[in-house]
Amino acid sequence: MVIQLPWSDLWVLGCAQNCAAALPAVLANIDRLRPWFDNSGLLILENDSKDATAEVLRAYARGGSGNHAFSLPGLADRLPIKTERLAHLRNGGLAWLRQRGLLAENSLLMILDLDEVNADPWSLEAVAEVLQWFAGKPQAAAVFANQRGPYYDLWALRHPQLCPDDIWERQLELHLERPELSDQDLLEAVLTPRQFSLPLDGKPLAVESAFGGLGFYRGSWLRRLPEVAYVGSRSRWIETGDGGVRLIRWQCAEHVAFHGQLRSAGAELWVHPRLVNWTTPQIRLNPATWRHLQC
């Protein structure tokens, strides 16, 4: 399949841990897009996998001069908070690309998860349609994936009506307001109003943040904002039971701060219903998750 796009270069950035089973299918999806571009390359940062993830990535990297896979053993011990670790890795990947001048006007950056979320075969026709739509919106810095079934990545999503704030932090706040509620009650109160699906034939959705496991970013936007960065935690005050306050560090979806900086610079962000990467299984969230996000 041959399509005309305004970008000559495709760069792929991913973080990997314990995803060996899904990796061959994900890498095959990436490889099907690379012929659309004059130049392409892949950078994957792996840490502390207990399966064959590192070996699979090393073998793939040996198969092409544009493929790079780096393992960072011990990173989980140095950065035990997952969101902070992912922010560090994603920022490191962006720094690697910037230092080599690869985030250029004519480049497209694909950032994706390397697990089962992207293991189903992608529709090349749909991806081509989305990228051609994206090419016609120069004010758009990024376009993100949709899923068949419920939209699953509510933690990274920000939309004024659908998901205006952090779902887990909202549970914390509701607990402080109504401590008699169980964790299950809190989850249902916060999650139920936010559950939705985007029809595959629907219109693209303008958002303040999203991810859904897959996003395409314009190199031109990332180039003009060299300081834009991922952030995996933030400080906030909470009330204590005795009427006082306490300062805590709270884990947050690392994408939200990154996208907030793009939006502050005037960029548009979109979820495109046709960019489908997964059929969402029945989602079962642990109602007590919010209790473990203080770090």
Side-chain angles (χ1 to χ4, degrees):
M1 183 178 184
V2 178
I3 63 171
Q4 294 295 319
L5 295 171
W7 305 285
S8 60
D9 299 352
L10 173 70
W11 307 111
V12 181
L13 175 60
C15 304
Q17 187 184 67
N18 298 325
C19 54
L23 265 176
V26 178
L27 295 171
N29 277 330
I30 296 169
D31 284 341
R32 293 164 68 213
L33 305 188
R34 294 176 74 166
W36 295 351
F37 301 86
D38 297 334
N39 304 294
S40 64
L42 181 143
L43 172 64
I44 299 180
L45 303 176
E46 180 275 337
N47 76 277
D48 302 295
S49 294
K50 299 195 177 0
D51 63 5
T53 295
E55 290 79 4
V56 173
L57 291 174
R58 282 195 291 268
Y60 180 80
R62 288 193 294 268
S65 59
N67 300 333
H68 304 274
F70 299 115
S71 288
L72 299 144
L75 184 64
D77 291 331
R78 297 192 297 275
L79 288 173
I81 304 303
K82 183 176 180 179
T83 52
E84 294 182 342
R85 187 166 64 249
L86 283 170
H88 174 65
L89 290 169
R90 297 191 198 282
N91 289 332
L94 288 175
W96 192 93
L97 294 166
R98 287 180 177 129
Q99 288 168 12
R100 286 155 181 78
L102 300 178
L103 296 180
E105 293 292 324
N106 62 344
S107 65
L108 186 68
L109 175 64
M110 177 167 60
I111 298 179
L112 79 167
D113 289 339
L114 296 162
D115 55 15
E116 67 275 6
V117 172
N118 286 303
D120 292 346
W122 296 342
S123 164
L124 291 185
E125 179 184 358
V127 175
E129 176 188 329
V130 171
L131 291 182
Q132 287 168 332
W133 173 89
F134 188 39
K137 298 189 73 67
Q139 201 64 19
V143 60
F144 305 105
N146 184 29
Q147 293 79 47
R148 295 182 189 87
Y151 185 88
Y152 85 97
D153 196 3
L154 294 173
W155 201 16
L157 182 68
R158 292 294 183 276
H159 181 277
Q161 287 76 47
L162 295 173
C163 192
D165 52 16
D166 184 313
I167 60 169
W168 301 118
E169 192 166 8
R170 180 61 193 132
Q171 272 192 255
L172 167 65
E173 292 165 352
L174 187 57
H175 166 73
L176 295 173
E177 295 166 10
R178 299 187 59 190
E180 75 277 6
L181 294 179
S182 70
D183 287 348
Q184 185 62 43
D185 291 337
L186 293 171
L187 180 63
E188 291 176 2
V190 172
L191 183 63
T192 301
R194 301 172 192 235
Q195 291 182 308
F196 71 97
S197 298
L198 286 181
L200 304 190
D201 58 354
K203 294 181 179 179
L205 177 70
V207 295
E208 296 170 359
S209 176
F211 186 53
L214 172 64
F216 289 96
Y217 295 79
R218 266 191 166 84
S220 56
W221 269 101
L222 297 177
R223 179 178 179 172
R224 77 178 74 168
L225 298 169
E227 300 303 320
V228 66
Y230 290 90
V231 178
S233 65
R234 67 185 191 87
S235 300
R236 68 157 292 163
W237 293 92
I238 63 170
E239 296 180 2
T240 59
D242 57 4
V245 293
R246 182 160 56 95
L247 179 64
I248 64 170
R249 197 161 102 253
W250 185 263
Q251 297 178 56
C252 54
E254 71 278 6
H255 303 279
V256 175
F258 183 70
H259 296 146
Q261 293 167 71
L262 289 171
R263 291 275 296 141
S264 294
E268 296 175 359
L269 305 173
W270 297 83
V271 175
H272 200 296
R274 288 274 285 152
L275 187 60
V276 174
N277 64 337
W278 198 31
T279 299
T280 316
Q282 184 176 1
I283 299 175
R284 292 186 175 90
L285 299 178
N286 181 352
T289 294
W290 69 274
R291 294 185 179 274
H292 306 288
L293 295 183
Q294 182 178 334
C295 54

